[in-house]
Amino acid sequence: MDETILEAHSLEAGEGLIPQANWFELSETLQKLRKNKKFPTIWCSGCGIGVVMGALIRAIDHLGLDNDQVALVAGIGCTARMPVYMDFNTLHTTHGRALAFATGLKIARPDMKVIAIMGDGDALAIGGNHFIHAARRNLGITALVVNNSIYGMTGGQYSPTTPLGGRATTAPYGNIEPPFPICDLAVAAGATYVARSTVYHALELDKYLAEAISRDGFSVIEAVSYCHTTYGRLNKLGTAADMMRSLKDNSIPQSALDRLTPEEKAANTKIVRGKFIDTPRPQYTQVYSNLITRVQGGEL
Amino acid sequence: MSVKLMQGNDAIGWGAIAAGCRFYAGYPITPSTEVAEILSRELPKVGGKFIQMEDEIASMAAIIGARIGGLKSMTATSGPGFSLMQENIGYAAMTEIPCVVVDVQRLGPSTGQPTAASQGDVMQARWGTHGDHPIIALSPTSVRQAFDLTVKAFDLSEKYRTPVILLADEIVGHMREPVDLPDFKTIKIFEQNVTESPATYKAFRNTEDGVPPLAPFGVGYRYHITALFHDEVGFPTQRLDEVDPWVERVNSKLEKHLDDISLFEEDIQDGARVAFLSYGASARTARHAMKVARKQGTKVDLLTLFTIWPFPEDVVEALGDRVDRIIVPEMNLGQLAYEVERMVGRKKVRRVGRANGEMVTPQMVLDAMEA
Amino acid sequence: MTVIRSDDNLEAGIADRTEVRLAGEGGQGMILAGIILAEAATIYGGQNAVQSQSYGPEARGGASKSEVVISPGEIDHPEVLLPDVVVALSQEAFKKFGSSIKPGGLLIVDADKVDSASSPKAIRLPITKMAFETTGRIITANTVALGVLVGLTGVVTRTAIEKAIIARAPRGTEEMNHKALDAGFAAAEIVTKKLP
């Protein structure tokens, strides 16, 4: 399905082989794409970000949300270009600040579903402070972090999630900084729904995204992706298809991990896919709304 | 209402409430913190919202986000925080999102002296963010004016879809004066009026007066906002036939409305060959000096600017045609004087600058008449 | 935008301004005393006033000052240029803020806190001790100081300063503050009789 979207989109924009009127009739889901957007995505062919976009659209569609009800807020980077292609209220902000803009928007419009879309550098390096504080407040935002472990748009510099030893244009001898475990960080900072999957497991992403968006509090989805154009090339990891395949081979569901012996668990180096927390606590805008009621009622 | 002794920063807070500000995000910093304190207390009473963010970058981002959600919004800070806000002030200018940024100036650079006064952010207010962009900066001279210009800041911000800087200083922010605030119900603020249907609405339309109306998110006008160069509907573009009209419209929209934006007061004495020109707390020093000079028999003109940016070029140029010398007292080493020199030439201008946390004194202004 | 001509009002805020400086340690309440004096002048006195302050970074201790400029008309330059009256309740505050005063001006210091060698021309009163003896609380020293100041200068009326103090007094401390103020006025009366 995702490939269909991307293929149709880029063909329409690039060569006009498929008439616009037709491909928008392909499915209900595609109605969430912008009809008046006339250029191909900026993503390299084979990139995993399009898969995440497909998952997001299907999740929103599955929840039956009205397009007007949804706001997508992005920072800067390859991933952050995602909202422009989708027919919601879309906000492309400054690097690292998606969650800070989203904070104002959510407080102004608590009724809206606000989804912040960020890459790993955007969310955790320049935006790391906003990430932990949005989690701490349990503000009703879904943070979708597409983790390709590199700064793609600027050409392959190491990010806070680049694996130890991984080569990048600014780590020519291999990365010496340990990476952030995004989901652990989110749980520790107070997020109330946290899950991880990969762009190979697209339907799993759909499911987790739909759940995250349906929750009231601060939810985090880590969508593990790859960048064959920079990281893959610098580390000789093969084509996009090779890297996609390695997400299949090198990931393990939490349920399977749970069945391993403690020794095996400790030795696991695979990406763990699963839901790590799903425990509600008071959501910020609701708490503030109660505060207003009490102040206005003379109680405070 | 009734006469109250009020601090400038409190008056700014009340001005925001009166102007319909319903969202404040900020980070504590001396000497602006009282603005946050009063709004944390007063906003919930009127159904508004206050949040203390993790830093000034986030504060600036949050107020833009809230305005996109439909709430009039404001932040307040001082020099170091103002520096942190600059990138997102540029964002607001680029995306034409109205918002008010209060900068209660303190002595800098860097940490400087938090409790000492300064007017050292004049140029930062104009050029602190990168790229060519329009900006409005207003500078109050009194507690009452801190209230009035805060209200005005919201008005201009909405009318011209631009960030407005309220360039206060530590003196005005912390001084107390008796004020009798007007009934807030009598205060009228420009409200956005979007008459187009979502189907034809263009948030960045190249209109005649340069200012298309702004629709908030979530009410049917689904559109894209980006600080990339964008076309009339908001999509990123690199086409010069779309970029050039944007550059032209946005950078000229304030010029087209200078009559409405430029606030100043001229105190004229026929035949004066000397003028004092100032703003903010220093304008009071200039006025004090003017009275002394006139009493001593020297004719003096006084020009007090309340709108610093856009700089009132024509007014200053006309003043330069009337007098031989313009003395510019300010609590920096000549930032606004640069602009005056640009209009009337260096020979006519005497800078009376101070950048040590102390006010310029009336005597320093009077001495500059002789020097 | 606005053109005005204020030739006929050259005295306002220039010749008729009274400049008062109140200095002490942070925590002695001298900034509050300045605010109260300004409220007495404006809300309860029908005059104009500007109050400003400066203090160090410490929340307590250090030297702080509060300035009040009072005038029947408009006040331009908002800070004290050369004070008519200085009150200093600590040695450090006196050293930092008490050195300059208008010729013929009035300097009032706490006799137990500011050494006599450095302030030979001052009116020396044991303000903090008076506060403690009158109310049992040294925190009322700022109120005593206001009584002395107003009693000696008449910069605002006694009624105005009383109203301003009572309006600011936390509930239940009105009588205590009244006593402190009266003590200040009484001391001022004694000083006035002794003055040539």
Side-chain angles (χ1 to χ4, degrees):
Chain A
M1 174 60 90
D2 322 315
E3 288 76 5
T4 318
I5 296 173
L6 287 175
E7 194 184 320
H9 197 192
S10 57
L11 280 174
E12 182 274 328
E15 299 167 38
L17 292 181
I18 299 177
Q20 187 178 335
N22 283 350
W23 70 265
F24 267 103
E25 286 162 11
L26 288 177
S27 79
E28 284 291 312
T29 314
L30 286 171
Q31 297 294 333
K32 303 284 186 193
L33 286 175
R34 278 200 161 115
K35 296 178 185 60
N36 57 351
K37 182 83 179 105
K38 295 284 198 239
F39 45 88
T41 70
I42 65 153
W43 304 313
C44 307
S45 61
C47 179
I49 297 173
V51 178
V52 182
M53 181 163 82
L56 180 61
I57 285 178
R58 288 189 297 274
I60 293 171
D61 189 52
H62 172 77
L63 294 171
L65 299 173
D66 188 271
N67 289 17
D68 284 326
Q69 214 186 324
V70 178
L72 306 181
V73 185
I76 294 289
C78 292
T79 300
R81 291 297 184 95
M82 195 193 291
V84 73
Y85 306 114
M86 288 177 276
D87 191 17
F88 304 107
N89 303 278
T90 56
L91 183 58
H92 181 219
T93 72
T94 47
H95 193 29
R97 317 303 170 198
L99 281 169
F101 280 80
T103 296
L105 179 57
K106 179 68 185 180
I107 294 175
R109 291 299 304 265
D111 55 312
M112 287 179 81
K113 287 290 183 187
V114 178
I115 301 163
I117 301 171
M118 302 165 283
D120 41 291
D122 201 20
L124 296 164
I126 188 167
N129 202 23
H130 313 310
F131 185 79
I132 57 174
H133 286 279
R136 176 177 63 83
R137 295 184 184 109
N138 197 32
L139 200 64
I141 295 170
T142 298
L144 169 56
V145 184
V146 179
N147 179 7
N148 61 5
S149 57
I150 198 83
Y151 286 89
M153 188 169 265
T154 47
Q157 297 74 35
Y158 73 93
S159 87
T161 59
T162 302
L164 268 175
R167 287 181 195 270
T169 60
T170 48
Y173 311 110
N175 176 30
I176 59 169
E177 300 180 17
F180 259 142
I182 298 178
C183 290
D184 293 353
L185 181 67
V187 171
T192 46
Y193 182 98
V194 176
R196 177 196 293 125
S197 189
T198 84
V199 292
Y200 177 84
H201 306 86
L203 298 180
E204 199 173 77
L205 270 183
D206 292 8
K207 189 188 77 180
Y208 287 146
L209 268 167
E211 260 187 12
I213 294 166
S214 69
R215 297 293 185 267
D216 278 340
F218 187 73
S219 53
V220 176
I221 298 294
E222 179 186 353
V224 181
S225 186
Y226 53 83
C227 179
H228 56 290
T229 307
T230 62
Y231 192 74
R233 183 174 51 83
L234 290 164
N235 291 279
K236 299 186 171 55
L237 297 174
T239 63
D242 294 331
M243 293 186 83
M244 179 71 96
R245 195 172 301 115
S246 102
L247 291 177
K248 174 180 175 245
D249 297 339
N250 292 309
S251 69
I252 176 172
Q254 178 75 51
S255 53
L257 188 76
D258 289 343
R259 289 194 293 273
L260 301 179
T261 65
E263 293 74 25
E264 287 171 326
K265 271 187 207 168
N268 175 54
T269 56
K270 291 185 172 179
I271 298 161
V272 180
R273 307 191 323 268
K275 186 162 72 174
F276 307 109
I277 192 170
D278 186 6
T279 312
R281 62 186 176 89
Q283 194 268 123
Y284 181 92
T285 61
Q286 188 56 53
V287 173
Y288 203 95
S289 165
N290 294 344
L291 180 131
I292 290 176
T293 308
R294 293 173 68 196
V295 169
Q296 289 183 337
E299 202 184 318
L300 287 175
Chain B
M1 298 179 98
S2 59
V3 177
K4 287 195 175 75
L5 192 74
M6 189 177 284
Q7 216 170 14
N9 282 345
D10 284 353
I12 291 169
W14 286 116
I17 297 277
C21 171
R22 290 299 176 265
F23 181 81
Y24 178 98
Y27 188 82
I29 183 167
T30 303
S32 77
T33 306
E34 293 84 1
V35 181
E37 288 173 341
I38 186 171
L39 287 173
S40 70
R41 190 187 71 211
E42 294 302 323
L43 272 173
K45 293 183 189 170
V46 294
K49 286 132 184 203
F50 168 94
I51 187 168
Q52 187 169 304
M53 293 299 285
E54 49 273 18
D55 57 33
E56 288 90 347
I57 300 172
S59 304
M60 191 60 219
I63 69 165
I64 297 170
R67 181 59 191 85
I68 289 168
L71 296 185
K72 292 197 180 83
S73 58
M74 182 172 98
T75 187
T77 187
S78 188
F82 194 46
S83 295
L84 286 178
M85 289 177 182
Q86 289 301 332
E87 186 192 12
N88 285 334
I89 290 173
Y91 185 94
M94 183 61 150
T95 56
E96 302 177 79
I97 304 300
C99 53
V100 175
V101 179
V102 179
D103 174 18
V104 186
Q105 299 165 93
R106 73 188 218 189
L107 185 60
S110 192
T111 312
Q113 186 56 259
T115 54
S118 164
Q119 292 174 304
D121 300 352
V122 168
M123 281 298 170
Q124 186 177 210
R126 181 64 194 90
W127 297 115
T129 198
H130 59 283
D132 287 277
H133 62 279
I135 200 91
I136 295 174
L138 309 177
S139 194
T141 63
S142 68
V143 173
R144 174 56 201 255
Q145 209 185 27
F147 175 88
D148 292 337
L149 288 188
T150 303
V151 172
K152 193 74 188 172
F154 278 94
D155 197 50
L156 295 176
S157 169
E158 290 292 330
K159 237 190 237 177
Y160 303 111
R161 282 187 59 180
T162 176
V164 177
I165 314 298
L166 186 78
L167 204 56
D169 51 64
E170 191 275 340
I171 302 289
V172 172
H174 276 165
M175 69 161 62
R176 289 179 177 84
E177 289 186 300
V179 287
D180 188 1
L181 297 182
D183 183 352
F184 293 178
K185 290 193 204 88
T186 63
I187 291 169
K188 286 201 173 62
I189 290 291
F190 180 88
E191 298 291 344
Q192 299 290 335
N193 182 21
V194 185
T195 50
E196 276 178 287
S197 73
T200 59
Y201 176 68
K202 290 181 176 177
F204 311 96
R205 190 187 290 280
N206 289 314
T207 55
E208 189 83 353
D209 76 340
V211 197
L214 176 69
F217 272 11
V219 295
Y221 294 85
R222 293 191 306 276
Y223 61 102
H224 189 63
I225 300 177
T226 178
L228 287 163
F229 273 93
H230 43 272
D231 61 20
E232 288 186 306
V233 294
F235 290 144
T237 182
Q238 295 182 354
R239 286 170 45 177
L240 288 185
D241 63 334
E242 291 174 337
V243 170
D244 283 336
W246 185 94
V247 172
E248 164 62 22
R249 174 177 67 79
V250 170
N251 283 295
S252 67
K253 66 181 177 182
L254 299 186
E255 279 168 35
K256 287 179 180 160
H257 303 279
L258 275 186
D259 283 352
D260 187 35
I261 297 167
S262 259
L263 308 173
F264 58 89
E265 186 181 272
E266 277 187 299
D267 197 323
I268 288 178
Q269 208 172 26
D270 294 331
R273 306 303 302 163
V274 178
F276 302 158
L277 186 162
S278 197
Y279 58 99
S282 295
R284 301 174 66 132
T285 310
R287 187 165 174 76
H288 188 114
M290 174 207 79
K291 287 181 180 173
V292 174
R294 286 186 182 178
K295 210 177 152 198
Q296 289 168 355
T298 311
K299 289 183 172 180
V300 175
D301 270 9
L302 180 74
L303 175 59
T304 306
L305 303 185
F306 309 123
T307 302
I308 307 296
W309 304 114
F311 189 71
E313 297 177 344
D314 293 348
V315 177
V316 174
E317 202 169 39
L319 180 65
D321 289 342
R322 287 206 308 273
V323 301
D324 303 324
R325 181 172 288 189
I326 301 180
I327 296 167
V328 186
E330 51 187 333
M331 286 181 280
N332 58 53
L333 298 182
Q335 294 191 20
L336 201 77
Y338 275 127
E339 290 293 310
V340 181
E341 287 171 3
R342 188 169 66 80
M343 300 321 303
V344 307
R346 281 171 60 188
K347 285 183 183 160
K348 281 196 173 180
V349 178
R350 291 292 177 280
R351 302 175 181 191
V352 182
R354 233 177 163 186
N356 61 358
E358 296 293 324
M359 287 192 80
V360 174
T361 64
Q363 194 56 49
M364 290 168 72
V365 179
L366 294 167
D367 290 347
M369 292 200 299
E370 310 302 326
Chain C
M1 182 194 66
T2 314
V3 176
I4 58 170
R5 289 164 192 273
S6 51
D7 280 357
D8 51 345
N9 197 21
L10 295 180
E11 298 294 322
I14 305 293
D16 56 7
R17 59 193 261 155
T18 305
E19 302 186 340
V20 180
R21 178 175 290 165
L22 304 163
E25 282 171 21
Q28 278 186 320
M30 292 311 264
I31 287 174
L32 179 61
I35 294 170
I36 290 172
L37 181 62
E39 286 178 338
T42 56
I43 301 171
Y44 306 102
Q47 300 192 78
N48 195 8
V50 180
Q51 183 270 342
S52 59
Q53 63 236 320
S54 77
Y55 33 80
E58 310 90 346
R60 293 287 178 271
S64 69
K65 73 166 171 178
S66 183
E67 294 186 345
V68 187
V69 179
I70 299 172
S71 164
E74 72 178 343
I75 297 168
D76 296 309
H77 189 78
E79 293 193 337
V80 164
L81 293 165
L82 195 56
D84 298 278
V85 187
V86 175
V87 181
L89 292 194
S90 80
Q91 181 69 25
E92 192 190 340
F94 171 75
K95 270 171 67 182
K96 212 167 163 189
F97 304 118
S99 54
S100 63
I101 192 161
K102 205 169 277 178
L106 187 65
L107 172 62
I108 303 163
V109 302
D110 189 312
D112 299 323
K113 307 258 180 177
V114 180
D115 73 55
S116 55
S118 59
S119 59
K121 287 184 179 169
I123 292 173
R124 304 176 54 80
L125 291 167
I127 290 169
T128 309
K129 193 194 281 177
M130 285 159 58
F132 184 74
E133 286 175 356
T134 310
T135 66
R137 310 268 312 269
I138 58 168
I139 192 102
T140 58
N142 58 352
T143 310
V144 175
L146 281 174
V148 173
L149 165 70
V150 175
L152 287 175
T153 63
V155 66
V156 297
T157 64
R158 185 165 182 160
T159 317
I161 195 73
E162 271 173 9
K163 283 184 182 166
I165 284 173
I166 297 309
R168 281 270 174 186
R171 198 176 299 164
T173 67
E174 292 89 345
E175 202 191 326
M176 182 173 83
N177 276 290
H178 230 290
K179 280 184 183 165
L181 186 67
D182 288 346
F185 271 105
E189 210 166 303
I190 295 166
V191 171
T192 311
K193 279 178 190 158
K194 281 190 191 167
L195 284 176

